[in-house]
Amino acid sequence: MTTPSRMPEPYGGQGSSANLADILERVLDKGIVIAGDIRINLLDIELLTIKLRLIVASVDKAKEMGIDWWESDPNLSSRARRDELTRENAELRERLARLEELEPGRAEKKEAP
């Protein structure tokens, strides 16, 4: 004769209907924030401080929270890369125009055949 265990079964146990996909869906839907600080002091002198912030959430949930840094990061977004190249190109054209204004003889040489 066996007696039923009073301890709750871990996820995926026979009594639990939650599986890994359900847990992942809940985490992505609600989001998780993990935060922590690591400080190393020597004789009351702060040598090193590391602040860790980790958010795990779906893209939709992150946008809902106002987090969308990947859309403006040129390494992650082709639109951001294109915008950065356009801005850089405009700056270079403006700089070239200023340089050509500083050297008036050069502009006259270009215009003359």
Side-chain angles (χ1 to χ4, degrees), residues 26-93:
R26 286 185 205 159
V27 166
L28 292 177
D29 185 45
K30 301 292 181 186
I32 290 179
V33 175
I34 300 171
D37 295 339
I38 299 171
R39 286 192 180 149
I40 299 174
N41 294 340
L42 178 65
L43 301 174
D44 291 335
I45 299 171
E46 187 174 321
L47 298 177
L48 178 68
T49 299
I50 300 173
K51 294 184 175 190
L52 301 171
R53 307 293 182 261
L54 175 67
I55 297 174
V56 179
S58 67
V59 171
D60 293 335
K61 185 66 176 178
K63 283 183 176 180
E64 193 177 303
M65 293 187 292
I67 302 169
D68 59 354
W69 54 264
W70 60 88
E71 291 182 350
S72 60
D73 187 338
N75 294 322
L76 299 175
S77 169
S78 61
R79 183 181 54 164
R81 186 175 312 136
R82 192 175 339 113
D83 292 346
E84 183 177 322
L85 287 174
T86 303
R87 182 188 52 78
E88 185 178 330
N89 196 7
E91 287 177 4
L92 288 173
R93 287 178 191 269

